[in-house]
Amino acid sequence: MATAHRLPPAPQPQLYRFSPLDLATLCLYVAIAGFFAVAGNVLAPLLRQIAPSPAAASYAVNLLFYASVGILALLAARRVVVRDLKVLATRPWFTLLMAPAAVIAMMILTAVVVAANGQVETSANQAGLQALMQQVPAWLMVPLLVVVGPFVEEYIFRHLLIGKMSRRVNIWICCALSVALFAALHIVGQEAVTLTALLPYLAMGATLVFVYMWTGKNVMFSYFVHAAKNLLAVVLVYAIPPELINQMQNVQA
């Protein structure tokens, strides 16, 4: 797309200074994620005794995690959210057309890098989400996977790691860290860290970093792209019969 159609930059450097609320949100995110990565296997049996089913326990833990961090993230980034939504409102057709285009580009990039690796592997994170969605209704999964989860991750991995940290660290280093840590988050504590498992998340992270930077660090645009990708995944999982999903996983194995 020509440069004239890109979103206008919105410098406002004061919005990119770390605040105490940013620190509190980041600490809560790291603490909870680290706790479940280290002690998740120990805690799982206790949760299953309290919850009516393993699926209910898993859903409750994820909802509590993302909701608590999400509230703090929204409070911390509220001025940036308002500013970015106002910027997007000046280019409504850009948002409506480019968000789906970015999702398609993400899917193509993922397919290319996975094909180049020569191996197809369903990550433990993806398999776990698919299993959870087979037991939890869509109206409960959409708020978690489409609304709250993407916002928290865009706030952490784009707004903080790039938007704010690049004031003190080279921006390309920040972008690389954003991609690498975003990918690692989705598999650490669940399976061995291998290139095959990382590749789909590296492709997704790289696409989100690109659209974030391309739109002048507009975290709401990268959020819409992230949410649209997750919504597509949710629709596909609920539209495909569980038996077919199991057959596809067996073929891949």
Side-chain angles (χ1 to χ4, degrees):
M1 181 172 287
T3 305
H5 294 286
R6 290 176 58 184
L7 294 176
Q12 295 182 274
Q14 70 274 15
L15 297 183
Y16 292 96
R17 296 192 180 102
F18 276 99
S19 68
L21 197 50
D22 287 323
L23 181 60
T25 306
L26 183 60
C27 287
L28 179 63
Y29 181 86
V30 172
I32 298 178
F35 175 77
F36 281 105
V38 174
N41 292 333
V42 177
L43 191 62
L46 298 176
L47 292 174
R48 289 170 185 166
Q49 291 179 5
I50 300 173
S53 68
S58 177
Y59 177 82
V61 167
N62 279 280
L63 183 63
L64 180 62
F65 169 49
Y66 279 106
S68 57
V69 177
I71 291 171
L72 287 179
L74 184 58
L75 290 174
R78 62 191 183 280
R79 290 190 297 166
V80 172
V81 168
V82 171
R83 182 208 64 186
D84 288 354
L85 287 175
K86 288 180 178 178
V87 171
L88 292 177
T90 66
R91 300 288 192 278
W93 285 109
F94 175 94
T95 306
L96 291 173
L97 294 176
M98 292 310 299
V103 173
I104 294 172
M106 183 189 300
M107 295 171 65
I108 293 173
L109 178 60
T110 301
V112 169
V113 297
V114 169
N117 184 57
Q119 297 181 22
V120 180
E121 178 180 323
T122 301
S123 68
N125 178 73
Q126 183 180 350
L129 286 175
Q130 289 175 349
L132 184 60
M133 283 189 278
Q134 290 175 13
Q135 302 176 65
V136 177
W139 67 272
L140 287 176
M141 293 302 299
V142 168
L144 176 62
L145 296 182
V146 179
V147 180
V148 184
F151 180 79
V152 169
E153 293 180 358
E154 290 310 302
Y155 166 79
I156 296 289
F157 294 101
R158 254 57 71 184
H159 180 58
L160 293 189
L161 272 181
I162 301 177
K164 293 202 171 187
M165 198 168 77
S166 63
R167 295 181 70 246
R168 299 183 178 276
V169 180
N170 180 277
I171 194 166
W172 299 112
I173 294 177
C174 294
C175 290
L177 282 174
S178 174
V179 174
L181 293 177
F182 175 80
L185 165 79
H186 290 85
I187 66 171
V188 168
Q190 302 181 60
E191 59 189 298
V193 179
T194 64
L195 180 61
T196 303
L198 280 171
L199 278 177
Y201 298 109
L202 288 173
M204 182 177 178
T207 306
L208 291 169
V209 167
F210 173 79
V211 298
Y212 175 73
M213 295 296 296
W214 185 56
T215 54
K217 298 181 181 177
N218 192 301
V219 73
M220 292 309 294
F221 185 78
S222 64
Y223 162 68
F224 287 143
V225 173
H226 194 159
K229 186 269 177 187
N230 282 13
L231 177 61
L232 178 61
V234 169
V235 169
L236 289 176
V237 169
Y238 280 102
I240 298 174
E243 298 79 10
L244 183 57
I245 293 178
N246 293 332
Q247 289 177 7
M248 294 170 61
Q249 292 175 344
N250 291 334
V251 170
Q252 291 176 4

